[in-house]
Amino acid sequence: MKPHSEVRLLDTPFGSRVRDACEVHQWEDWKGYLTAAAYEDVELEYFAVRNATGVFDLSPMTKYRITGPDAQAFLNRVMTRNVRRLAPGRVGYTVWCNDAGMVLDDGTLFHLAEGEYRLCAQERCLDWLQWSALGLDVAIADETADVAALAVQGPTSCATLRAMGLDGLERLKPFGIARFPFDGGELLVSRTGFTGDLGYELWMAPDHAEALWDSLFDAGRDRLIRPMGTAALELARIEAGFIQAGVDFVPAEQVLRHGRGRSPFELGLGWLVDFGKGHFTGRNALLKEKENGSRYRFVRLDVDGNKPAEESFILDKSANVVGHVTSAAWCASAKRNLALASLEMPWGRPEDDLFAEIYYSREQRWTRLETRCTVMRGPAWDPPRRRQTPPADF
Amino acid sequence: MTDAAFDVVVIGAGHNGLACASYLARGGRKVLVLEAADRPGGLAATREFAAGFRVSAAAHLLTMLDAGVARDLGLEGHGLEFAARNLKTVALADNGERVVFEDGAIGGVSAKDQAAFAEFRRQNRRFAKVLAGFCSRPSPRLVDRRKSDTLALARLAWDVRSLGRADMRELLRVGAINIYDVAQEKFESALLKAAVSMDAVLGSHMGPRSPNTVYSYLHRHMNDDAGAAGPAVVKGGMGALGEAFAAAAEAAGAEVRYGSRAVRIDLSEPSSNEACRAAGVTLADGTRIETGLVVSNADLKTTFRMVGPLNLDAGFVRRVHSFRARGVTAKLHLALDGLPEFHGGDAGDAGARLLLASSMDDIESAFDHAKYGRFSPVPVMEISIPTVYDASLAPDGKQVLSALVQYAPYDLKEGWDAGRETFKAICLQRLEAVAPGIGESVRASELLTPPDLEAEFGVRGGHWHHGEIALDQALFTRPVPGANRYATPVRGLYLCGASSHPGGGILGLAGRNAARAVLAGEDSG
């Protein structure tokens, strides 16, 4: 029996390599897997994503394989977006809701081949998917442990992967899927990621994981490849303005108090809701919301100064609380102090005067700031290379 | 609205469907009732099961019919006649012991039990009155309450509080526990305890020790305070009650179409900015009837199967799927040469409501088998011999015996094709023990299992309350959240059957309340 002080977490398929690479032993529990919050230095890892290549082990990400004659009808019933429009070989960002139109989770849906899908999600949701499959001919398998996954992100990521032997990868468009032979198996590559930068995600059977890690770091050595932990990823995703389940909203299945969930509209994801495609779970509730108005607006805020507005109240001119910050960071590449915030309606219009109430301490002296915030129209970090095909070669 | 010929289409001419249609027609709506069978009444039906022998095919004694509904619809003016009222109940034990319930008093037990039963009855009539009040109205919304809901809740709280300290405490103490514990605590006689328990478990996938069987007892006795001292026998069988409901509906202006089996509830084409709503009903022969409002008297599962799972939210489909509606009650019909004689009894027993269960443990062990998909080797029964009062049901001098038999699980492991004859023989053996010689006089017999009831009456699971009467699917949550006030998540589609509040038993309240919800244009949001 191990002493109870020892954290007992599963290794991902890259476990041996991750343990070797993690010099600072900042570990986290991600859905039961041992995960590095940082490998060496958060800033260096973050800058690797923006200026070279950062590699993130996302194997603990929940993955479901969805097949069967009714797979598409099933997904169209679950998702707010029109899955019929997602062609084979394409990936789509999506959200799904409960009956009340509250978001259960967001994730990416891979149309791997005609009628065969993979759903990648933050939360485990097999029960919800099974309930949604009542009366349909569809098979849902949890393949979380059967697929090793790496995110390879940053401006030199394409060049690195090509150097690893992925010929023709430069032709892969954003949200596209390609397959390559690797180590006697098949490596699936999607041009997706959570950093808002040029980047790819690699998906492979676990027994090839170590070979994949080794080849990747060999190929990337001259292009300044680095493993990155969750802390650097967090900086990158806030900079790109992406929301995170459990941080920027409470997944509806976990909400205990009536009314604490958020709808897609209240998370700025109304563009993912397609009322014209037929019925889907939450449609009636969302139609009603559209008619009666939302309760909240989700905004990206540009906060003056350089003190992160973590967990800040957002105030109006008269210092009334009108919302709160869900994620915040000083973002070095955008050179902005950014915050994601949930505001009560009607606040969050571009012309609104808003202030973040920020507390910070310097050597035991606490300071309270009411710092001006500006509602941004788009993401602070959205470089052309994110979409450019082929990407620049390095 | 639409330019359809009918404002409202009611699916199913059960008593609730017809009550609903009557109230809607009186409210000025043009109403069409679609019925799959060639007669009205649904589970209130009379059928010929052997040449010249007719019987109430499902419900056979009228215990609960709401007096207000009966009066509003003028059922007696539309042909409802009673062959007998205020029947006494006789509980028969295997050893010949008898307990007789007549006019609110009991015989055949100790003076102590008589006093305890008098107190039990007094208290339960008061509890039942609170429940009856609550059941006569739609159940209030607990979340997103409106003023009317708060008032309804306040009224409930007031009714409970008005019981006085002692009775209120007793209600709160026993309201959610099982009848076994309560009967054990109050009475001495095993037979009396068994008879009380039978009232709690008849028609339900429950034994005396199952949770909240006190609630199901109260449900059954909901209308006790309204006057009847015992069940009634409808002249011409229960089908005559269905006919009276149909006549009332037609007199109110509704049209009833028989032989018209609804198979699909059609929805409007989804447009990009409107919720789908009920737009019509498609029949088995492909006929499509357009309408703006559909009211379903069918059970919950059948109703939403007609809508289709893909047209509903996943959480709602799951709740419908989880609604417990597995029938355990079979119906035994015997054509007899003469009146059976029950041992230890007197001549009047044959006309009584007879209960066959010697002790609570006997009922519980009979139920144990049903839990594992087997029928009871020693079943319990409620027996009625309607020909004692209504000779028209059988050829001259002949008799009909009708029995509710438990437990006969819907999903019998060996399947009912294999098990039917064995179980029928077990039932006859059971009767023979208390009525020696009855086997000799059986000229024809019929056993309707829950799957038979499902096939004949279109009730999923063959459950004659359309779903268990238990606290988790009663009151505020019957049948399921999202459809507990007759309106459903599908706009323009309402429920009016026994699946809805206040539930099963021939009451008519679900139909009346549903009609009110339709007329008020309520939606489920």
Side-chain angles (χ1 to χ4, degrees):
Chain A
M1 183 116 173
K2 290 180 177 180
H4 71 266
S5 58
E6 196 171 323
V7 180
R8 275 183 255 170
L9 293 170
L10 298 171
D11 271 330
T12 74
F14 302 103
S16 61
R17 302 303 189 265
V18 169
R19 283 174 187 272
D20 278 352
C22 182
E23 294 182 4
V24 293
H25 288 285
Q26 290 184 17
W27 299 110
E28 277 181 359
D29 170 359
W30 180 14
K31 297 284 175 202
Y33 287 91
L34 185 72
T35 300
Y39 285 84
E40 291 174 67
D41 177 274
V42 176
E43 266 76 38
L44 288 179
E45 292 164 29
Y46 160 79
F47 279 112
V49 173
R50 292 294 181 234
N51 298 324
T53 295
V55 178
F56 182 75
D57 176 8
L58 54 84
S59 305
M61 172 77 75
T62 308
K63 298 175 282 288
Y64 298 111
R65 178 68 67 110
I66 295 156
T67 52
D70 290 339
Q72 190 191 71
F74 161 75
L75 286 164
N76 234 1
R77 188 265 181 96
V78 174
M79 304 299 165
T80 59
R81 66 181 287 166
N82 192 345
V83 175
R84 273 191 292 274
R85 295 222 178 103
L86 187 66
R90 300 289 297 164
V91 183
Y93 175 59
T94 182
V95 290
W96 49 105
C97 296
N98 65 7
D99 293 18
M102 296 295 124
V103 175
L104 288 160
D105 202 355
D106 63 343
T108 42
L109 182 63
F110 292 64
H111 196 168
L112 298 173
E114 191 66 47
E116 197 179 330
Y117 296 86
R118 171 180 295 156
L119 178 64
C120 290
Q122 176 65 23
E123 301 300 320
R124 302 284 193 260
C125 57
L126 190 57
D127 49 356
W128 181 260
L129 297 180
Q130 296 285 15
W131 296 332
S132 298
L134 283 174
L136 295 173
D137 188 359
V138 58
I140 306 158
D142 186 338
E143 56 175 9
T144 303
D146 307 330
V147 181
L150 288 178
V152 182
Q153 306 275 309
T156 66
S157 56
C158 182
T160 299
L161 289 167
R162 286 171 64 199
M164 195 182 80
L166 307 190
D167 293 334
L169 180 68
E170 69 280 5
R171 290 191 296 275
L172 187 64
K173 291 182 177 157
F175 291 101
I177 297 172
R179 289 175 172 82
F180 299 90
F182 180 84
D183 190 34
E186 187 189 69
L187 174 66
L188 192 95
V189 181
S190 57
R191 189 165 164 187
T192 49
F194 200 43
T195 60
D197 222 304
L198 172 65
Y200 302 85
E201 288 170 328
L202 315 185
W203 314 84
M204 184 131 216
D207 45 348
H208 302 286
E210 290 173 346
L212 178 62
W213 179 286
D214 295 342
S215 307
L216 180 65
F217 280 86
D218 277 351
R221 190 169 300 123
D222 295 341
R223 295 175 178 87
L224 304 175
I225 195 168
R226 262 180 194 282
M228 66 187 289
T230 52
L233 183 69
E234 178 74 357
L235 282 176
R237 73 101 187 158
I238 292 171
E239 189 165 50
F242 295 156
I243 60 166
Q244 167 101 351
V247 177
D248 297 293
F249 66 96
V250 186
E253 279 285 288
Q254 295 167 25
V255 169
L256 298 177
R257 295 166 185 82
H258 185 61
R260 301 288 166 90
R262 292 290 187 272
S263 76
F265 298 115
E266 292 169 343
L267 291 172
L269 300 175
W271 60 278
L272 286 173
V273 180
D274 183 349
F275 286 121
K277 70 166 183 165
H279 193 77
F280 57 89
T281 299
R283 182 176 188 267
N284 289 354
L286 293 173
L287 275 169
K288 197 167 252 185
E289 178 182 341
K290 207 176 147 203
E291 195 180 312
N292 300 341
S294 302
R295 302 163 303 164
Y296 303 99
R297 193 197 316 265
F298 198 81
V299 291
R300 300 179 176 114
L301 296 175
D302 185 349
V303 184
D304 281 3
N306 59 6
K307 304 289 182 293
E310 283 168 335
E311 300 185 341
S312 292
F313 277 129
I314 300 296
L315 312 174
D316 69 3
K317 257 194 309 212
S318 320
N320 299 309
V321 175
V322 298
H324 68 277
V325 169
T326 57
S327 293
W330 162 257
C331 295
S333 302
K335 295 186 172 55
R336 279 182 175 162
N337 189 24
L338 296 173
L340 307 179
S342 180
L343 306 181
E344 287 162 26
M345 288 300 260
W347 298 99
R349 295 158 293 200
E351 69 277 13
D352 284 339
D353 283 328
L354 297 170
F355 301 87
E357 188 180 62
I358 300 171
Y359 292 78
Y360 71 95
S361 143
R362 288 283 179 273
E363 297 174 332
Q364 293 295 344
R365 173 162 296 173
W366 279 90
T367 307
R368 174 178 180 275
L369 300 176
E370 280 183 18
T371 309
R372 180 174 288 278
C373 307
T374 311
V375 176
M376 302 172 65
R377 285 180 185 280
W381 182 257
D382 188 21
R385 65 176 180 244
R386 186 179 161 200
R387 271 174 288 273
Q388 199 178 328
T389 310
D393 198 9
F394 289 97
Chain B
M1 301 294 279
T2 64
D3 53 1
F6 296 96
D7 300 326
V8 190
V9 170
V10 177
I11 298 174
H15 75 283
N16 273 315
L18 292 167
C20 185
S22 301
Y23 284 102
L24 288 171
R26 287 154 170 243
R29 302 295 188 275
K30 280 196 65 81
V31 185
L32 173 66
V33 184
L34 299 171
E35 171 55 49
D38 53 9
R39 42 145 200 93
L43 286 161
T46 304
R47 76 206 283 268
E48 190 172 66
F49 69 100
F53 291 88
R54 293 185 304 140
V55 71
S56 301
H60 62 182
L61 292 169
L62 194 59
T63 48
M64 297 169 68
L65 181 64
D66 184 77
V69 172
R71 199 174 45 242
D72 284 353
L73 304 189
L75 291 180
E76 303 209 18
H78 287 293
L80 175 63
E81 280 185 70
F82 293 101
R85 303 179 98 141
N86 300 333
L87 255 53
K88 65 176 177 180
T89 292
V90 177
L92 283 176
D94 295 338
N95 60 8
E97 204 186 311
R98 305 159 69 245
V99 172
V100 182
F101 300 73
E102 195 166 14
D103 288 332
I106 54 170
V109 294
S110 66
K112 199 175 158 200
D113 264 356
Q114 284 184 354
F117 185 76
E119 169 61 9
F120 179 70
R121 188 171 143 77
R122 180 199 67 79
Q123 216 159 33
N124 279 328
R125 283 179 68 161
R126 301 195 73 208
F127 299 163
K129 195 176 174 187
V130 174
L131 185 64
F134 188 78
C135 286
S136 68
R137 304 178 289 269
S139 60
R141 285 165 280 244
L142 296 179
V143 177
D144 293 333
R145 274 205 311 268
R146 295 165 204 181
K147 200 171 168 188
S148 58
D149 301 312
T150 308
L151 283 172
L153 286 170
R155 192 162 163 185
L156 175 64
W158 174 251
D159 285 349
V160 172
R161 189 68 193 86
S162 303
L163 289 170
R165 177 179 291 207
D167 283 359
M168 178 182 76
R169 281 189 177 165
E170 182 66 1
L171 175 61
L172 298 179
R173 183 179 76 90
V174 303
I177 66 175
N178 65 70
I179 196 75
Y180 181 94
D181 286 347
V182 173
Q184 196 74 310
E185 167 189 306
K186 293 188 188 293
F187 309 122
E188 293 173 343
S189 157
L191 191 53
L192 168 57
K193 293 178 201 173
V196 166
S197 297
M198 282 295 277
D199 277 0
V201 301
L202 267 174
S204 295
H205 187 89
M206 292 178 181
R209 286 189 182 86
S210 299
N212 64 62
T213 32
V214 169
Y215 177 76
S216 48
Y217 179 90
L218 288 175
H219 176 85
R220 186 185 172 88
H221 287 270
M222 192 194 298
N223 282 341
D224 275 11
D225 195 56
V233 177
V234 175
K235 192 159 196 260
M238 212 51 108
L241 179 71
E243 303 280 355
F245 269 103
E250 280 169 342
E255 181 183 335
V256 187
R257 228 176 257 177
Y258 299 100
S260 304
R261 180 181 294 278
V263 292
R264 198 172 65 231
I265 294 168
D266 301 307
L267 304 180
S268 59
E269 285 298 313
S271 72
S272 51
N273 51 13
E274 259 182 53
C276 290
R277 51 174 304 138
V281 175
T282 298
L283 303 182
D285 65 7
T287 313
R288 192 168 172 245
I289 298 162
E290 283 185 34
T291 182
L293 293 167
V294 175
V295 183
S296 176
N297 188 192
D299 67 278
L300 181 73
K301 290 175 195 242
T302 302
T303 300
F304 288 101
R305 181 180 270 197
M306 286 192 277
V307 173
L310 285 179
N311 295 312
L312 297 160
D313 288 349
F316 185 77
V317 172
R318 180 188 162 224
R319 281 184 224 130
V320 170
H321 178 81
S322 308
F323 187 61
R324 289 175 292 116
R326 287 178 304 148
V328 287
T329 311
K331 197 68 200 306
L332 178 71
H333 301 142
L334 300 179
L336 300 173
D337 278 333
L339 213 51
E341 275 182 39
F342 293 93
H343 71 176
D346 56 39
D349 280 1
R353 167 180 178 249
L354 290 163
L355 295 177
L356 233 57
S358 298
S359 71
M360 292 198 288
D361 280 351
D362 283 1
I363 307 175
E364 191 72 37
S365 15
F367 173 52
D368 283 341
H369 292 81
K371 292 182 202 163
Y372 307 107
R374 299 189 294 263
F375 49 66
S376 313
V378 185
V380 296
M381 300 188 192
E382 179 194 81
I383 298 165
S384 156
I385 304 179
T387 37
V388 170
Y389 306 106
D390 184 358
S392 73
L393 294 173
D396 265 359
K398 309 292 182 199
Q399 306 289 338
V400 167
L401 180 146
S402 161
L404 302 176
V405 187
Q406 282 181 203
Y407 293 81
Y410 172 78
D411 37 10
L412 187 70
K413 255 195 192 132
E414 58 189 292
W416 279 107
D417 284 343
R420 180 190 308 275
E421 288 310 315
T422 323
F423 191 61
K424 200 155 76 171
I426 285 175
C427 293
L428 285 167
Q429 205 183 327
R430 180 89 179 89
L431 284 168
E432 189 72 32
V434 291
I438 192 173
E440 300 276 294
S441 71
V442 175
R443 293 185 46 178
S445 64
E446 173 186 62
L447 181 77
L448 294 179
T449 64
D452 296 332
L453 295 169
E454 177 181 80
E456 176 144 0
F457 299 104
V459 182
R460 276 291 294 286
H463 196 297
W464 31 299
H465 293 317
H466 287 197
E468 290 295 311
I469 306 282
L471 282 172
D472 63 317
Q473 34 189 57
L475 306 175
F476 303 96
T477 51
R478 188 166 185 90
V480 293
N484 55 335
R485 290 172 55 86
Y486 313 101
T488 72
V490 178
R491 291 210 186 152
L493 172 64
Y494 295 77
L495 299 174
C496 77
S499 299
S500 295
H501 175 78
I506 298 178
L507 267 164
L509 288 173
R512 186 196 67 188
N513 291 352
R516 288 180 180 168
V518 173
L519 292 171
E522 280 210 24
D523 67 45
S524 73

